[in-house]
Amino acid sequence: MLFLNFYFENKSFSRFRKYTNTAHSRCFLAMDTIHACFKEKIGEVLLPGDVFSFRLPESGDGSIKTEKTICGPGLRRNGEEVQVCKSGILRHKQPNMYWIDSQQRRYVPAKGESVIGIVTAKSGDIFKVDVGGSEQASLSYLAFEGATKRNRPNVQVGDLVYGQFTIANKDMEPELVCIDSCGRANGMGVFGADGLLFKVSLGLVRRLLVPQSEIIKDLEKIFPFELVVGMNGRVWVKAKTVQQTLIVTNLLETCENMTSQQRQTLFKRVADGCL
Amino acid sequence: MSATRGLCMRTMMELDQSCSNLREYGSEQSLLSKPDGTSTFVQGDTSILAGVYGPAEVKVSKEIYDRATVEVLIQPKMGLPGVRERAREQCVRETCEAALLLTLHPRSSVTVVLQVVHDDGSLLSCCLNAACMALMDAGLPMSHLFCSVTCAISKEGQIITDPTARQEKESRALLTFAIDSAESSVLMSSTTGSFSVQELQQCIAISQKASEQIFQFYRDSVKRRYSKIK
Protein backbone atom coordinates (compact mmCIF):
# COMPACT_ATOMS: atom_id res chain seq x y z
CA MET A 1 0.00 0.00 0.00
CA LEU A 2 2.80 2.35 0.89
CA PHE A 3 4.66 1.51 -2.31
CA LEU A 4 1.59 2.17 -4.42
CA ASN A 5 1.10 5.58 -2.88
CA PHE A 6 4.67 6.52 -3.57
CA TYR A 7 4.46 5.41 -7.18
CA PHE A 8 1.39 7.52 -7.74
CA GLU A 9 3.18 10.54 -6.27
CA ASN A 10 6.11 10.05 -8.57
CA LYS A 11 4.03 10.02 -11.73
CA SER A 12 2.07 13.09 -10.82
CA PHE A 13 5.01 15.18 -9.74
CA SER A 14 7.53 14.44 -12.41
CA ARG A 15 7.91 18.11 -13.02
CA PHE A 16 7.40 19.74 -9.65
CA ARG A 17 9.42 20.02 -6.52
CA LYS A 18 8.14 17.77 -3.79
CA TYR A 19 7.90 18.02 -0.06
CA THR A 20 8.14 14.49 1.14
CA ASN A 21 6.04 15.29 4.17
CA THR A 22 3.10 16.78 2.41
CA ALA A 23 2.99 15.49 -1.12
CA HIS A 24 -0.05 13.38 -0.49
CA SER A 25 -3.10 14.06 1.57
CA ARG A 26 -6.12 11.84 1.77
CA CYS A 27 -9.32 13.58 2.88
CA PHE A 28 -12.28 11.40 3.64
CA LEU A 29 -14.86 14.14 3.21
CA ALA A 30 -17.66 15.12 0.90
CA MET A 31 -16.38 16.18 -2.49
CA ASP A 32 -18.15 19.53 -2.52
CA THR A 33 -16.57 20.81 0.68
CA ILE A 34 -12.97 20.44 -0.45
CA HIS A 35 -13.32 21.83 -3.93
CA ALA A 36 -15.50 24.66 -2.69
CA CYS A 37 -12.91 25.73 -0.14
CA PHE A 38 -10.07 25.69 -2.62
CA LYS A 39 -11.97 26.88 -5.66
CA GLU A 40 -12.57 30.40 -4.43
CA LYS A 41 -8.87 30.91 -3.92
CA ILE A 42 -7.50 29.42 -7.13
CA GLY A 43 -5.32 32.00 -8.83
CA GLU A 44 -5.07 34.15 -5.71
CA VAL A 45 -1.93 35.04 -3.84
CA LEU A 46 -1.76 33.27 -0.48
CA LEU A 47 0.61 33.82 2.44
CA PRO A 48 2.00 31.40 5.05
CA GLY A 49 -0.50 31.02 7.84
CA ASP A 50 -3.60 30.96 5.62
CA VAL A 51 -5.69 27.95 6.50
CA PHE A 52 -8.30 25.87 4.67
CA SER A 53 -10.42 24.03 7.17
CA PHE A 54 -12.83 21.31 6.24
CA ARG A 55 -15.80 20.53 8.37
CA LEU A 56 -17.86 17.41 8.02
CA PRO A 57 -21.39 18.23 6.82
CA GLU A 58 -23.78 18.10 9.71
CA SER A 59 -26.48 15.92 8.20
CA GLY A 60 -24.99 12.47 8.57
CA ASP A 61 -26.79 11.13 5.52
CA GLY A 62 -24.15 8.53 4.89
CA SER A 63 -23.46 9.63 1.33
CA ILE A 64 -19.90 10.78 2.02
CA LYS A 65 -17.57 9.55 -0.72
CA THR A 66 -13.93 8.97 0.00
CA GLU A 67 -11.99 11.26 -2.25
CA LYS A 68 -8.31 11.89 -2.63
CA THR A 69 -6.95 15.42 -2.77
CA ILE A 70 -3.31 15.87 -3.60
CA CYS A 71 -1.64 18.78 -1.83
CA GLY A 72 1.52 19.76 -3.62
CA PRO A 73 4.44 22.01 -2.72
CA GLY A 74 3.52 24.85 -0.40
CA LEU A 75 0.49 23.15 1.18
CA ARG A 76 0.67 21.16 4.39
CA ARG A 77 -1.93 18.98 6.04
CA ASN A 78 -2.45 19.55 9.74
CA GLY A 79 -5.13 17.21 11.05
CA GLU A 80 -8.40 18.43 9.55
CA GLU A 81 -6.89 21.56 8.03
CA VAL A 82 -4.65 22.36 5.13
CA GLN A 83 -2.18 25.15 5.86
CA VAL A 84 -0.30 27.28 3.39
CA CYS A 85 3.41 27.34 4.18
CA LYS A 86 4.82 29.40 1.29
CA SER A 87 3.77 32.64 -0.33
CA GLY A 88 2.57 32.31 -3.91
CA ILE A 89 -0.38 31.71 -6.22
CA LEU A 90 -2.72 28.75 -5.66
CA ARG A 91 -2.87 26.56 -8.76
CA HIS A 92 -5.14 23.69 -9.65
CA LYS A 93 -4.86 20.78 -12.04
CA GLN A 94 -7.79 18.53 -12.81
CA PRO A 95 -9.07 16.52 -11.15
CA ASN A 96 -7.79 17.04 -7.64
CA MET A 97 -4.26 18.49 -7.49
CA TYR A 98 -3.55 21.77 -5.72
CA TRP A 99 -0.25 23.49 -5.09
CA ILE A 100 1.32 26.88 -4.43
CA ASP A 101 3.32 28.34 -7.31
CA SER A 102 6.10 30.32 -5.65
CA GLN A 103 9.19 32.07 -7.00
CA GLN A 104 12.27 30.66 -5.41
CA ARG A 105 15.97 30.51 -6.13
CA ARG A 106 17.15 27.78 -3.75
CA TYR A 107 16.81 24.18 -4.86
CA VAL A 108 15.76 21.34 -2.53
CA PRO A 109 16.49 17.86 -3.99
CA ALA A 110 13.47 15.74 -4.80
CA LYS A 111 13.34 12.18 -6.11
CA GLY A 112 13.00 11.73 -9.84
CA GLU A 113 14.12 15.20 -10.85
CA SER A 114 16.89 15.69 -13.42
CA VAL A 115 19.56 18.18 -12.47
CA ILE A 116 22.87 19.55 -13.63
CA GLY A 117 25.62 18.89 -11.10
CA ILE A 118 29.28 19.86 -10.86
CA VAL A 119 31.71 17.13 -9.77
CA THR A 120 33.66 18.37 -6.75
CA ALA A 121 35.54 15.31 -5.51
CA LYS A 122 36.40 11.74 -6.33
CA SER A 123 36.59 9.47 -3.32
CA GLY A 124 36.87 5.74 -3.73
CA ASP A 125 33.86 4.43 -5.59
CA ILE A 126 31.77 7.58 -5.66
CA PHE A 127 31.88 11.10 -6.98
CA LYS A 128 30.71 14.01 -4.85
CA VAL A 129 28.49 16.30 -6.93
CA ASP A 130 27.35 19.80 -6.07
CA VAL A 131 23.69 20.20 -7.05
CA GLY A 132 22.99 23.48 -5.29
CA GLY A 133 21.19 21.99 -2.31
CA SER A 134 22.14 21.89 1.34
CA GLU A 135 24.20 18.73 0.89
CA GLN A 136 26.39 17.40 -1.87
CA ALA A 137 24.95 14.43 -3.75
CA SER A 138 26.84 11.21 -4.32
CA LEU A 139 27.15 9.59 -7.75
CA SER A 140 28.47 6.06 -7.99
CA TYR A 141 30.95 5.38 -10.78
CA LEU A 142 28.89 2.36 -11.81
CA ALA A 143 25.86 4.54 -12.52
CA PHE A 144 26.97 5.38 -16.05
CA GLU A 145 26.10 3.56 -19.26
CA GLY A 146 28.55 0.79 -19.99
CA ALA A 147 30.53 1.27 -16.78
CA THR A 148 31.98 -1.77 -15.05
CA LYS A 149 34.53 -2.22 -12.31
CA ARG A 150 37.28 -2.48 -14.89
CA ASN A 151 35.88 0.10 -17.31
CA ARG A 152 35.62 3.28 -15.24
CA PRO A 153 33.88 6.32 -16.71
CA ASN A 154 36.04 9.27 -17.68
CA VAL A 155 34.85 11.86 -15.15
CA GLN A 156 37.14 14.55 -13.75
CA VAL A 157 36.68 17.06 -10.96
CA GLY A 158 34.94 20.11 -12.40
CA ASP A 159 32.95 18.25 -15.05
CA LEU A 160 29.25 18.89 -15.58
CA VAL A 161 26.93 15.90 -15.23
CA TYR A 162 23.25 15.61 -16.01
CA GLY A 163 21.62 13.01 -13.77
CA GLN A 164 18.49 11.99 -11.95
CA PHE A 165 17.92 11.58 -8.23
CA THR A 166 17.17 8.07 -7.01
CA ILE A 167 17.24 9.01 -3.34
CA ALA A 168 16.39 12.52 -2.20
CA ASN A 169 14.69 13.15 1.11
CA LYS A 170 15.37 15.36 4.06
CA ASP A 171 16.94 12.61 6.17
CA MET A 172 19.47 11.07 3.80
CA GLU A 173 22.28 12.20 1.55
CA PRO A 174 20.92 12.59 -2.00
CA GLU A 175 22.07 10.09 -4.64
CA LEU A 176 22.31 10.69 -8.36
CA VAL A 177 22.48 8.27 -11.26
CA CYS A 178 23.22 8.85 -14.93
CA ILE A 179 21.31 5.85 -16.28
CA ASP A 180 17.62 5.13 -16.40
CA SER A 181 15.95 2.00 -15.09
CA CYS A 182 16.81 0.08 -18.29
CA GLY A 183 20.51 0.80 -17.98
CA ARG A 184 20.68 3.27 -20.89
CA ALA A 185 22.06 6.80 -20.64
CA ASN A 186 19.06 8.48 -22.28
CA GLY A 187 20.77 11.85 -22.56
CA MET A 188 22.32 11.77 -19.08
CA GLY A 189 25.99 11.70 -18.20
CA VAL A 190 28.96 14.01 -18.58
CA PHE A 191 28.57 16.91 -21.00
CA GLY A 192 29.64 20.44 -21.63
CA ALA A 193 32.99 20.59 -23.35
CA ASP A 194 32.34 24.26 -24.19
CA GLY A 195 29.37 26.48 -23.55
CA LEU A 196 28.28 28.46 -20.50
CA LEU A 197 26.60 27.37 -17.28
CA PHE A 198 24.50 29.90 -15.37
CA LYS A 199 21.81 30.00 -12.73
CA VAL A 200 18.20 31.17 -12.99
CA SER A 201 15.23 30.94 -10.68
CA LEU A 202 13.28 27.71 -10.33
CA GLY A 203 10.11 29.25 -11.74
CA LEU A 204 11.82 30.10 -15.02
CA VAL A 205 13.25 26.59 -15.25
CA ARG A 206 9.79 25.10 -14.90
CA ARG A 207 8.51 27.37 -17.64
CA LEU A 208 11.34 26.25 -19.91
CA LEU A 209 10.60 22.58 -19.27
CA VAL A 210 6.91 22.79 -20.17
CA PRO A 211 6.33 20.57 -23.29
CA GLN A 212 5.56 23.39 -25.75
CA SER A 213 7.51 26.15 -24.10
CA GLU A 214 6.92 29.53 -25.69
CA ILE A 215 10.24 30.91 -24.52
CA ILE A 216 12.19 28.15 -26.27
CA LYS A 217 10.13 28.49 -29.42
CA ASP A 218 10.79 32.21 -29.55
CA LEU A 219 14.49 31.72 -28.88
CA GLU A 220 14.84 29.09 -31.60
CA LYS A 221 13.81 31.62 -34.19
CA ILE A 222 16.83 33.81 -33.48
CA PHE A 223 19.62 31.30 -34.01
CA PRO A 224 20.31 27.60 -33.30
CA PHE A 225 21.87 26.58 -29.99
CA GLU A 226 22.20 23.65 -27.61
CA LEU A 227 20.44 23.88 -24.28
CA VAL A 228 20.50 21.71 -21.15
CA VAL A 229 18.09 22.67 -18.37
CA GLY A 230 18.44 21.25 -14.87
CA MET A 231 15.62 21.48 -12.36
CA ASN A 232 18.02 22.91 -9.81
CA GLY A 233 17.96 26.22 -11.65
CA ARG A 234 21.11 25.59 -13.68
CA VAL A 235 21.08 26.09 -17.44
CA TRP A 236 23.87 25.28 -19.90
CA VAL A 237 23.92 26.95 -23.29
CA LYS A 238 26.17 26.50 -26.30
CA ALA A 239 25.82 28.32 -29.62
CA LYS A 240 28.09 28.58 -32.65
CA THR A 241 30.12 31.54 -31.43
CA VAL A 242 30.88 32.92 -27.99
CA GLN A 243 28.93 36.10 -28.74
CA GLN A 244 25.78 34.16 -29.63
CA THR A 245 26.15 32.09 -26.45
CA LEU A 246 26.32 35.26 -24.37
CA ILE A 247 23.29 36.73 -26.14
CA VAL A 248 21.20 33.65 -25.38
CA THR A 249 22.38 33.72 -21.75
CA ASN A 250 21.39 37.36 -21.32
CA LEU A 251 18.01 36.84 -22.96
CA LEU A 252 17.19 33.92 -20.67
CA GLU A 253 18.24 35.81 -17.57
CA THR A 254 16.17 38.86 -18.43
CA CYS A 255 12.99 37.15 -19.55
CA GLU A 256 12.24 36.01 -16.01
CA ASN A 257 10.24 39.04 -15.05
CA MET A 258 8.75 39.88 -18.40
CA THR A 259 5.28 39.25 -19.71
CA SER A 260 5.13 37.31 -22.98
CA GLN A 261 4.43 40.51 -24.92
CA GLN A 262 7.53 42.27 -23.65
CA ARG A 263 9.56 39.14 -24.26
CA GLN A 264 8.51 38.83 -27.87
CA THR A 265 9.29 42.46 -28.59
CA LEU A 266 12.73 42.05 -27.04
CA PHE A 267 13.49 38.88 -29.00
CA LYS A 268 12.36 40.50 -32.22
CA ARG A 269 14.65 43.47 -31.59
CA VAL A 270 17.59 41.17 -30.96
CA ALA A 271 16.84 39.05 -34.04
CA ASP A 272 16.69 42.17 -36.22
CA GLY A 273 19.88 43.47 -34.69
CA CYS A 274 21.74 40.20 -35.32
CA LEU A 275 20.68 39.71 -38.89
CA MET B 1 -7.19 56.43 35.75
CA SER B 2 -8.22 54.80 39.02
CA ALA B 3 -11.80 54.01 37.92
CA THR B 4 -12.07 50.91 35.73
CA ARG B 5 -14.43 52.64 33.34
CA GLY B 6 -12.01 55.51 32.90
CA LEU B 7 -9.21 53.08 32.16
CA CYS B 8 -11.23 51.24 29.51
CA MET B 9 -12.24 54.42 27.78
CA ARG B 10 -8.71 55.67 27.77
CA THR B 11 -7.52 52.41 26.29
CA MET B 12 -10.12 52.64 23.52
CA MET B 13 -9.16 56.21 22.73
CA GLU B 14 -5.52 55.39 22.75
CA LEU B 15 -6.14 52.44 20.49
CA ASP B 16 -7.88 54.67 18.00
CA GLN B 17 -5.28 57.37 18.23
CA SER B 18 -2.21 55.19 18.29
CA CYS B 19 -3.18 52.82 15.52
CA SER B 20 -2.95 55.44 12.91
CA ASN B 21 0.33 56.59 14.36
CA LEU B 22 2.57 54.10 12.64
CA ARG B 23 5.08 55.97 10.52
CA GLU B 24 5.00 55.52 6.78
CA TYR B 25 6.35 52.10 5.94
CA GLY B 26 7.48 50.54 2.70
CA SER B 27 9.15 47.40 1.54
CA GLU B 28 10.73 45.81 -1.51
CA GLN B 29 11.59 42.18 -2.23
CA SER B 30 14.12 40.39 -4.45
CA LEU B 31 16.57 43.23 -4.86
CA LEU B 32 19.88 41.37 -4.75
CA SER B 33 20.78 38.46 -6.99
CA LYS B 34 23.13 36.39 -4.80
CA PRO B 35 21.09 35.67 -1.66
CA ASP B 36 18.13 33.30 -1.88
CA GLY B 37 15.78 35.95 -0.52
CA THR B 38 16.20 39.67 0.09
CA SER B 39 14.03 42.51 1.23
CA THR B 40 14.24 46.02 2.56
CA PHE B 41 11.87 47.44 5.12
CA VAL B 42 11.55 51.17 5.78
CA GLN B 43 9.66 52.64 8.75
CA GLY B 44 9.79 56.42 8.65
CA ASP B 45 13.52 57.02 8.40
CA THR B 46 14.65 53.69 9.79
CA SER B 47 15.71 51.38 7.00
CA ILE B 48 16.98 47.79 7.11
CA LEU B 49 18.20 45.52 4.30
CA ALA B 50 17.78 41.78 4.92
CA GLY B 51 19.25 38.82 3.08
CA VAL B 52 18.43 35.14 3.63
CA TYR B 53 20.52 32.14 2.59
CA GLY B 54 18.98 28.73 3.02
CA PRO B 55 18.59 25.86 3.33
CA ALA B 56 22.35 25.65 2.81
CA GLU B 57 25.31 23.61 4.04
CA VAL B 58 26.11 23.78 7.71
CA LYS B 59 29.33 23.11 9.63
CA VAL B 60 29.30 19.78 11.40
CA SER B 61 29.88 21.53 14.74
CA LYS B 62 26.70 23.58 14.31
CA GLU B 63 24.40 21.03 12.74
CA ILE B 64 21.29 19.79 14.54
CA TYR B 65 20.22 16.30 13.58
CA ASP B 66 16.48 16.92 13.22
CA ARG B 67 16.07 20.63 12.43
CA ALA B 68 17.68 23.45 10.53
CA THR B 69 20.10 25.79 12.33
CA VAL B 70 19.08 29.45 12.19
CA GLU B 71 21.85 32.07 12.29
CA VAL B 72 21.20 35.78 12.40
CA LEU B 73 23.79 38.49 11.80
CA ILE B 74 23.04 42.16 12.37
CA GLN B 75 25.57 44.57 10.93
CA PRO B 76 25.38 48.08 12.37
CA LYS B 77 25.74 51.09 10.14
CA MET B 78 29.16 51.96 11.57
CA GLY B 79 31.71 49.91 13.44
CA LEU B 80 31.76 46.24 14.30
CA PRO B 81 28.85 44.31 15.78
CA GLY B 82 28.90 44.47 19.57
CA VAL B 83 26.89 43.21 22.50
CA ARG B 84 23.82 45.25 21.59
CA GLU B 85 23.69 43.63 18.17
CA ARG B 86 24.12 40.18 19.72
CA ALA B 87 21.11 40.80 21.97
CA ARG B 88 18.99 41.87 19.00
CA GLU B 89 20.23 38.88 17.00
CA GLN B 90 18.99 36.56 19.70
CA CYS B 91 15.51 38.17 19.66
CA VAL B 92 15.31 37.87 15.87
CA ARG B 93 16.63 34.32 15.89
CA GLU B 94 14.11 33.07 18.40
CA THR B 95 11.22 34.66 16.53
CA CYS B 96 12.38 33.11 13.24
CA GLU B 97 12.75 29.70 14.86
CA ALA B 98 9.17 29.92 16.11
CA ALA B 99 7.77 30.79 12.70
CA LEU B 100 9.81 28.60 10.34
CA LEU B 101 9.13 24.90 9.81
CA LEU B 102 12.66 23.86 10.64
CA THR B 103 12.03 20.12 10.81
CA LEU B 104 11.61 20.02 7.04
CA HIS B 105 15.31 20.70 6.53
CA PRO B 106 17.40 18.83 9.10
CA ARG B 107 21.17 19.27 9.12
CA SER B 108 21.05 22.45 7.06
CA SER B 109 21.38 26.11 7.91
CA VAL B 110 19.26 29.20 7.39
CA THR B 111 21.27 32.41 7.65
CA VAL B 112 19.61 35.82 7.96
CA VAL B 113 21.85 38.84 7.48
CA LEU B 114 20.46 42.25 8.44
CA GLN B 115 22.24 45.47 7.50
CA VAL B 116 21.24 48.70 9.22
CA VAL B 117 21.02 51.36 6.54
CA HIS B 118 19.68 54.09 8.78
CA ASP B 119 18.55 54.05 12.39
CA ASP B 120 15.86 56.49 13.50
CA GLY B 121 14.14 54.51 16.26
CA SER B 122 12.20 51.19 16.36
CA LEU B 123 15.26 49.37 15.09
CA LEU B 124 14.41 45.91 16.40
CA SER B 125 10.90 46.12 14.94
CA CYS B 126 12.20 47.09 11.57
CA CYS B 127 14.75 44.23 11.69
CA LEU B 128 12.00 41.70 12.45
CA ASN B 129 9.72 42.98 9.70
CA ALA B 130 12.54 42.94 7.15
CA ALA B 131 13.51 39.41 8.25
CA CYS B 132 9.94 38.17 7.77
CA MET B 133 9.66 39.60 4.27
CA ALA B 134 13.05 38.18 3.32
CA LEU B 135 12.11 34.71 4.60
CA MET B 136 8.93 34.85 2.51
CA ASP B 137 10.93 35.92 -0.52
CA ALA B 138 13.34 33.02 -0.08
CA GLY B 139 10.44 30.58 -0.11
CA LEU B 140 11.31 28.95 3.20
CA PRO B 141 8.35 27.04 4.64
CA MET B 142 6.73 28.94 7.48
CA SER B 143 3.80 28.02 9.67
CA HIS B 144 2.73 31.65 10.06
CA LEU B 145 4.04 35.17 9.51
CA PHE B 146 5.26 37.56 12.17
CA CYS B 147 5.58 41.30 12.46
CA SER B 148 6.82 43.63 15.14
CA VAL B 149 5.66 46.88 16.76
CA THR B 150 7.52 49.12 19.22
CA CYS B 151 5.74 51.18 21.89
CA ALA B 152 7.36 53.94 23.90
CA ILE B 153 5.86 55.22 27.17
CA SER B 154 6.64 58.90 27.71
CA LYS B 155 7.28 60.43 31.12
CA GLU B 156 3.65 61.64 31.24
CA GLY B 157 2.33 58.13 30.63
CA GLN B 158 1.37 58.59 26.99
CA ILE B 159 1.94 55.57 24.75
CA ILE B 160 3.54 56.27 21.39
CA THR B 161 3.75 53.55 18.72
CA ASP B 162 6.68 53.35 16.32
CA PRO B 163 8.75 56.03 18.08
CA THR B 164 11.55 57.99 16.43
CA ALA B 165 15.01 58.03 17.99
CA ARG B 166 14.28 61.27 19.80
CA GLN B 167 10.98 59.97 21.21
CA GLU B 168 12.81 56.85 22.38
CA LYS B 169 15.42 58.90 24.21
CA GLU B 170 12.76 60.97 25.97
CA SER B 171 10.64 57.98 26.99
CA ARG B 172 10.76 56.22 30.33
CA ALA B 173 10.07 52.75 28.88
CA LEU B 174 10.45 51.08 25.50
CA LEU B 175 8.63 47.86 24.61
CA THR B 176 9.01 45.82 21.42
CA PHE B 177 6.67 42.93 20.62
CA ALA B 178 6.67 40.37 17.84
CA ILE B 179 3.11 39.31 16.95
CA ASP B 180 2.17 36.27 14.89
CA SER B 181 -0.39 36.28 12.11
CA ALA B 182 -2.33 33.15 13.04
CA GLU B 183 -3.67 34.07 16.46
CA SER B 184 -2.20 37.55 17.09
CA SER B 185 -0.26 36.15 20.04
CA VAL B 186 2.99 37.60 21.31
CA LEU B 187 6.00 35.63 20.04
CA MET B 188 8.75 37.74 21.53
CA SER B 189 8.96 40.77 23.78
CA SER B 190 11.93 42.96 24.53
CA THR B 191 11.48 45.78 27.04
CA THR B 192 13.62 48.40 28.76
CA GLY B 193 12.63 50.92 31.39
CA SER B 194 9.94 50.87 34.07
CA PHE B 195 6.22 50.51 33.48
CA SER B 196 3.19 49.10 35.26
CA VAL B 197 1.31 45.91 34.48
CA GLN B 198 -1.64 47.90 33.07
CA GLU B 199 0.66 49.80 30.77
CA LEU B 200 2.17 46.52 29.58
CA GLN B 201 -1.25 45.13 28.74
CA GLN B 202 -2.26 48.33 26.98
CA CYS B 203 0.89 48.20 24.89
CA ILE B 204 0.24 44.59 23.94
CA ALA B 205 -3.31 45.44 22.88
CA ILE B 206 -2.10 48.40 20.84
CA SER B 207 0.60 46.31 19.19
CA GLN B 208 -1.86 43.59 18.28
CA LYS B 209 -4.16 46.13 16.66
CA ALA B 210 -1.30 47.76 14.76
CA SER B 211 0.00 44.39 13.57
CA GLU B 212 -3.16 43.90 11.52
CA GLN B 213 -2.19 46.87 9.38
CA ILE B 214 1.29 45.45 8.85
CA PHE B 215 -0.01 42.00 7.88
CA GLN B 216 -2.37 43.60 5.38
CA PHE B 217 0.62 45.46 4.00
CA TYR B 218 2.56 42.19 3.63
CA ARG B 219 -0.35 40.74 1.69
CA ASP B 220 -0.61 43.74 -0.62
CA SER B 221 3.10 43.80 -1.30
CA VAL B 222 3.27 40.10 -2.16
CA LYS B 223 0.19 40.47 -4.38
CA ARG B 224 1.86 43.29 -6.26
CA ARG B 225 4.95 41.20 -6.71
CA TYR B 226 3.09 38.25 -8.18
CA SER B 227 0.81 40.36 -10.35
CA LYS B 228 3.25 40.29 -13.24
CA ILE B 229 3.43 36.51 -13.48
CA LYS B 230 -0.28 35.87 -13.60
Side-chain angles (χ1 to χ4, degrees):
Chain A
M1 187 58 179
L2 197 60
F3 172 76
L4 264 175
N5 284 349
F6 214 59
Y7 174 73
F8 184 82
E9 248 173 60
N10 220 357
K11 279 191 87 163
S12 317
F13 284 126
S14 55
R15 198 170 288 125
F16 301 110
R17 297 178 48 250
K18 285 176 278 203
Y19 270 110
T20 48
N21 275 348
T22 65
H24 186 134
S25 168
R26 197 185 277 268
C27 300
F28 291 94
L29 297 165
M31 213 147 99
D32 305 324
T33 338
I34 301 177
H35 284 313
C37 279
F38 278 127
K39 210 179 272 188
E40 355 172 287
K41 299 281 187 177
I42 293 177
E44 270 198 32
V45 175
L46 298 176
L47 295 181
D50 292 345
V51 167
F52 296 97
S53 54
F54 306 114
R55 262 181 289 124
L56 275 172
E58 303 196 348
S59 63
D61 53 356
S63 63
I64 298 176
K65 294 180 258 179
T66 65
E67 184 243 320
K68 200 155 50 171
T69 308
I70 302 184
C71 296
L75 293 172
R76 232 183 121 70
R77 183 178 168 192
N78 195 5
E80 290 299 313
E81 298 175 332
V82 172
Q83 287 179 344
V84 176
C85 61
K86 286 196 189 188
S87 62
I89 304 177
L90 181 67
R91 301 271 192 221
H92 172 55
K93 184 173 164 191
Q94 298 292 350
N96 57 0
M97 227 195 299
Y98 297 94
W99 72 95
I100 300 279
D101 193 7
S102 62
Q103 275 185 328
Q104 228 178 302
R105 296 191 67 93
R106 192 85 196 182
Y107 177 66
V108 172
K111 181 173 164 158
E113 290 189 348
S114 305
V115 296
I116 297 181
I118 304 175
V119 177
T120 52
K122 266 205 274 198
S123 65
D125 290 342
I126 55 166
F127 302 110
K128 282 285 182 214
V129 179
D130 164 36
V131 290
S134 62
E135 255 185 296
Q136 299 206 330
S138 70
L139 171 60
S140 163
Y141 76 94
L142 290 172
F144 289 86
E145 184 174 9
T148 59
K149 286 200 182 151
R150 299 234 181 113
N151 179 18
R152 288 176 167 248
N154 183 15
V155 177
Q156 306 303 325
V157 171
D159 280 352
L160 295 177
V161 284
Y162 186 72
Q164 227 178 10
F165 282 113
T166 46
I167 295 182
N169 55 48
K170 63 184 172 85
D171 299 311
M172 296 168 61
E173 186 192 30
E175 285 184 23
L176 276 176
V177 287
C178 289
I179 47 172
D180 59 11
S181 43
C182 304
R184 270 174 269 150
N186 206 11
M188 297 189 272
V190 181
F191 70 98
D194 290 316
L196 181 63
L197 177 77
F198 58 97
K199 205 162 179 318
V200 291
S201 78
L202 304 184
L204 178 63
V205 151
R206 288 196 287 261
R207 279 191 279 164
L208 288 173
L209 286 174
V210 157
Q212 301 295 328
S213 167
E214 293 180 359
I215 307 179
I216 306 257
K217 276 200 215 154
D218 291 338
L219 268 177
E220 276 171 353
K221 295 181 199 152
I222 307 183
F223 37 60
F225 58 92
E226 256 182 86
L227 179 73
V228 178
V229 180
M231 291 217 53
N232 52 346
R234 292 187 181 159
V235 178
W236 177 86
V237 172
K238 180 177 167 184
K240 268 191 229 149
T241 64
V242 173
Q243 194 182 32
Q244 289 184 355
T245 310
L246 289 173
I247 293 175
V248 175
T249 307
N250 283 329
L251 287 174
L252 278 173
E253 279 176 344
T254 49
C255 71
E256 247 189 80
N257 291 325
M258 290 188 181
T259 60
S260 48
Q261 196 100 14
Q262 290 169 322
R263 199 186 58 233
Q264 276 161 2
T265 15
L266 174 65
F267 284 12
K268 209 179 285 180
R269 247 183 33 213
V270 174
D272 294 337
C274 280
L275 301 168
Chain B
M1 203 42 198
S2 51
T4 320
R5 191 186 139 113
L7 177 63
C8 287
M9 277 184 58
R10 188 179 151 147
T11 313
M12 291 287 283
M13 261 170 40
E14 278 173 353
L15 275 177
D16 288 337
Q17 279 171 1
S18 316
C19 286
S20 49
N21 279 356
L22 286 177
R23 292 180 283 177
E24 236 185 274
Y25 44 83
S27 150
E28 203 186 328
Q29 286 185 315
S30 293
L31 335 155
L32 305 175
S33 57
K34 289 282 184 217
D36 301 324
T38 40
S39 78
T40 57
F41 205 87
V42 176
Q43 276 178 225
D45 280 334
T46 308
S47 168
I48 303 275
L49 174 63
V52 169
Y53 297 85
E57 281 186 6
V58 66
K59 274 195 248 184
V60 182
S61 56
K62 290 193 192 162
E63 78 175 5
I64 307 178
Y65 72 96
D66 62 344
R67 357 191 309 257
T69 314
V70 178
E71 284 175 350
V72 179
L73 293 164
I74 299 187
Q75 307 283 356
K77 188 169 167 194
M78 286 175 297
L80 292 170
V83 176
R84 209 167 293 196
E85 280 72 39
R86 290 277 172 267
R88 291 192 188 119
E89 282 169 17
Q90 189 173 12
C91 294
V92 176
R93 192 182 67 238
E94 294 185 348
T95 318
C96 294
E97 284 179 358
L100 287 169
L101 292 168
L102 297 173
T103 48
L104 290 182
H105 300 287
R107 299 179 330 275
S108 56
S109 77
V110 173
T111 309
V112 182
V113 181
L114 298 156
Q115 171 67 55
V116 177
V117 175
H118 192 256
D119 178 11
D120 188 32
S122 308
L123 188 65
L124 182 55
S125 280
C126 203
C127 285
L128 280 163
N129 293 334
C132 184
M133 293 226 73
L135 287 171
M136 265 203 289
D137 185 39
L140 285 164
M142 300 169 77
S143 55
H144 52 75
L145 296 175
F146 57 89
C147 80
S148 172
V149 182
T150 308
C151 296
I153 305 180
S154 68
K155 297 196 172 68
E156 297 88 42
Q158 196 196 6
I159 299 180
I160 310 164
T161 44
D162 204 12
T164 59
R166 187 200 260 183
Q167 285 169 333
E168 279 184 359
K169 226 190 276 190
E170 292 166 359
S171 66
R172 71 168 149 85
L174 196 62
L175 302 93
T176 306
F177 300 107
I179 315 277
D180 90 280
S181 66
E183 288 154 20
S184 258
S185 51
V186 175
L187 289 176
M188 186 277 307
S189 80
S190 167
T191 63
T192 58
S194 63
F195 46 88
S196 67
V197 176
Q198 285 91 342
E199 283 169 337
L200 172 67
Q201 287 172 348
Q202 274 178 306
C203 286
I204 292 182
I206 292 172
S207 304
Q208 285 168 331
K209 196 110 201 288
S211 67
E212 288 166 23
Q213 282 182 28
I214 303 186
F215 287 132
Q216 187 54 41
F217 171 70
Y218 284 175
R219 200 172 283 273
D220 295 335
S221 52
V222 177
K223 258 193 205 149
R224 210 180 318 132
R225 190 191 158 200
Y226 280 98
S227 61
K228 257 196 216 161
I229 312 180
K230 279 196 212 182

